[in-house]
Every structure is written in structure tokens, then in C-alpha cells.
Amino acid sequence: RKIKIPTLLIWGDQDYETKVQAGQIMHHALVNSRLAIIVGSGHFPFLDNWEKFVVEIDNFLNTEL
């Protein structure tokens, strides 16, 4: 809750190690956060769907800074 800077959380919708609900809890706890859920990705969305992963980071950096 002490983190106030813009924060991007990226989750795979098929992550069975750390469920999407955990990302939603973090998102609600962090005041200035964005939760991006990548459909069809598991615990490693940067490997499962790196194209969408990069798009999410690019969008975040272009809108948050």
C-alpha cells in the first residue's frame, strides 16, 4: 500500500501458479496501478505471448510517464 508510483501488473489468464485473483488483489491495493491480463497465457506471459506482453508495456510507458 505504500507504493504510490505508477505500477503495471501483467497476468496470464491461465496462470495456475498465481491466480488472476491475486493480481486483482494487488491491483486494488496499489493506488496507481494497472492490471493487464493476457488471454491465453500462463505464469510466464512474457514467454507465452511476448507480443502482447510488449504491447502492454509499451502502452503503459506511453500513457503513464
Side-chain angles (χ1 to χ4, degrees):
R1 296 185 191 270
K2 293 181 180 182
I3 298 172
K4 305 295 182 202
I5 61 171
T7 304
L8 175 62
L9 304 165
I10 301 179
W11 236 266
D13 73 329
Q14 299 190 19
D15 185 342
Y16 300 112
E17 301 298 320
T18 310
K19 306 272 187 206
V20 172
Q21 292 83 354
Q24 293 167 337
I25 290 168
M26 284 186 208
H27 172 56
H28 291 296
L30 297 171
V31 176
N32 200 6
S33 69
R34 178 174 169 220
L35 175 61
I37 299 173
I38 299 181
V39 177
S41 293
H43 191 66
F44 301 105
F46 58 92
L47 294 176
D48 297 337
N49 198 331
W50 66 268
E51 297 95 344
K52 287 184 182 178
F53 185 84
V54 170
V55 166
E56 291 296 342
I57 292 173
D58 188 53
N59 289 340
F60 177 77
L61 291 175
N62 286 318
T63 59
E64 297 294 331
L65 297 179

